[in-house]
Amino acid sequence: MAPGVDGLPAAEREVDVSGPVAEFLRSTSPGFRNQLRLGLRVFEWLPFPRRFSRLSPEAAGEYLRKLERSRLSFHHDLLLIAKVLTTLGYAVTAPVQERIGFEIRCGLADGTLPEPAGSLGDTEARGEGEECDVLVIGSGAGGAVAAAELAEAGLDVLVLEAGRHYDRDSYPSDHLEAITELYRDAGLTIAAGKPPIPVPVAKVVGGTTVINSGTCFRAPREVLERWRSEHGVEWALDLAADYAEAEHTLRVTPLDPERMGRNGQLAMEGAAAVGASGGPIFRNAGSCVQCSSCPFGCEIDAKRGMHVSYLPRAVAAGARLRAGVEARRLLVEDGRAVGVAARVAPNGRPGRDFTVRARRAVVVAGGALGTPELLQRSGLGGGAVGRNLHIHPPAGSAPATRRRCAAGRA
C-alpha cells in the first residue's frame, strides 16, 4: 500500500501532510528547527537551477532516486530527513489511519489490567543540589537496575533523569505530542554513517524501555566468549542466574505464534523450510495479547519498562529519583568523578543549575549515545569514547524481495 494507490488517500491532494509536520516542529527546540531549516533549503535547491517543489512528479521521483544512489553521505541524510517528516505527517492523519484499520488496543489474556506500579515518590528537584552515596545518571535499563541493586545493598542512591515521568494514567493521547514528549530530539535522533540510521531514543523516566517494543534476548554465547577472551570479563559466561532473575522481574515470555501476526508466522515457516533456527521473540509484557501502543508508552503498562519495574523497587529501598534534570558535566577531583553539574528544566519554566555530589561513586548510565556524549563534554575518556557503536535495527522484507530470494534458490 502506498499514498494515492490501493485505496489510500494521496498526500497533500487528499490529506494535509504539511499541517501535522508544522505542528510537530513547533514543539522542537529552536536550535533543531534552525538546523532542519538549513537542511530543507539545501534539499529544495539541489536540483538547481530548478527547485524541488516545482518539479513534476516524474522529475521529483527521479531526483529522490538519484539521492538514494548517491555516494555522498549528506545526500542520504537529506533524503532520510524528507522521508521521516513526510511519513510522519502522512501516517498520523485520520483518513490514513481509518483506511489501514489502525487502532490502539492493548490487553492481557484474562482481560484484566496489570496491577499498579509502585510509587516513584517525589521526583521534583528542589534547591541548588543534593548529596548521596551513589549518583546514577540515567533511569533506563542500565541506571534503573543499578539503582535498585545499590539501594537494596543499603546505599543512599540518587537517580537523575533528563525527561519527565509518564505512565498509563498520563501518556499523551496525541501521537505527535507523545513523540515530542517521550523521545529525545522529538524522535529524530540519527546515527551518522552509511547509511544513516534513525534511532528511537527516549527522554523520559524509564528511558527507552518506555517506548521500545520490549524485545528481550540473552546475549549469544559467542559474544560472551568474546567479552571474556578479548576484554577480560571473567564472569561473562556465568550470567544464567542473573538472566533468570531479570526475566522473572520483567515477566519475559515468548510470543504466542497464533497471535504474532502473519508476518512472524511466514518468517518462522521460511526459517524451517531452509533449516535455519528461529522462533517467537521474547518480550517483557507477560500475558499481553494485544499490543499497538508501545512506541507511545504502553496504554496499560503491561510492558514492564523500568518505570514500572526496577525504579519502583529502587525507590522502595530508599533511592531518590529526580526527573527533568539533565547532566551537563561530570565533576572530577583527583582523577575521580565526585558528582555532576546539571540543569533543571521544568516544563514551561526557566531552567536553573543543579549540582549533585556523590560520596562513594558515580554511575553513568546514559546508554550507548548519552554516556559518550556526557564523557566527551566532561573531557574524559580520550579519543576512543563514542567509537565502535553497533546498532541492530529491525527490518522487514518486502514481498518482491522474498520472490527474488525464492527465485535465486530455485
Side-chain angles (χ1 to χ4, degrees), residues 206-266:
T208 304
T209 67
V210 177
I211 54 94
N212 64 12
S213 67
T215 302
C216 298
F217 59 88
R218 298 188 179 193
R221 184 175 179 84
E222 57 269 22
V223 172
L224 298 177
E225 289 176 344
R226 189 165 66 249
W227 290 358
R228 185 177 64 173
S229 62
E230 296 182 11
H231 304 288
V233 183
E234 295 299 329
W235 44 261
L237 298 179
D238 300 321
L239 294 175
D242 298 285
Y243 272 125
E245 179 185 350
E247 290 164 351
H248 174 75
T249 299
L250 299 177
R251 300 175 190 171
V252 176
T253 57
L255 283 182
D256 181 350
E258 296 299 319
R259 295 180 179 273
M260 69 166 54
R262 189 57 183 149
N263 283 349
Q265 293 168 351
L266 284 171

Side-chain angles (χ1 to χ4, degrees), residues 139-327:
S139 66
V145 175
E149 294 288 341
L150 292 167
E152 289 172 349
L155 294 168
D156 176 25
V157 177
L158 178 66
V159 181
L160 298 186
E161 168 56 52
R164 299 169 64 192
H165 177 221
Y166 288 93
D167 59 19
R168 70 187 186 192
D169 296 322
S170 58
Y171 294 125
S173 58
D174 180 81
H175 291 165
L176 289 184
E177 181 186 356
I179 292 173
T180 58
E181 287 292 317
L182 304 180
Y183 286 70
R184 167 184 160 152
D185 301 328
L188 296 177
T189 299
I190 296 174
K194 296 182 180 180
I197 300 175
V199 184
V201 181
K203 186 178 180 181
V204 64
V205 170
T208 304
T209 67
V210 177
I211 54 94
N212 64 12
S213 67
T215 302
C216 298
F217 59 88
R218 298 188 179 193
R221 184 175 179 84
E222 57 269 22
V223 172
L224 298 177
E225 289 176 344
R226 189 165 66 249
W227 290 358
R228 185 177 64 173
S229 62
E230 296 182 11
H231 304 288
V233 183
E234 295 299 329
W235 44 261
L237 298 179
D238 300 321
L239 294 175
D242 298 285
Y243 272 125
E245 179 185 350
E247 290 164 351
H248 174 75
T249 299
L250 299 177
R251 300 175 190 171
V252 176
T253 57
L255 283 182
D256 181 350
E258 296 299 319
R259 295 180 179 273
M260 69 166 54
R262 189 57 183 149
N263 283 349
Q265 293 168 351
L266 284 171
M268 289 179 59
E269 293 169 8
V274 299
S277 61
I281 62 171
F282 285 69
R283 296 185 66 240
N284 61 334
S287 60
C288 177
V289 293
Q290 294 177 332
C291 180
S292 57
S293 68
C294 281
F296 314 110
C298 178
E299 188 179 52
I300 60 176
D301 275 337
K303 182 178 66 176
R304 302 288 290 173
M306 295 298 104
H307 63 311
V308 296
S309 56
Y310 280 94
L311 283 175
R313 180 174 140 185
V315 171
R320 291 165 284 149
L321 169 67
R322 299 293 178 253
V325 181
E326 183 174 4

Side-chain angles (χ1 to χ4, degrees), residues 9 110 114 216 323 357:
D110 60 6
C216 298
R357 295 190 67 86

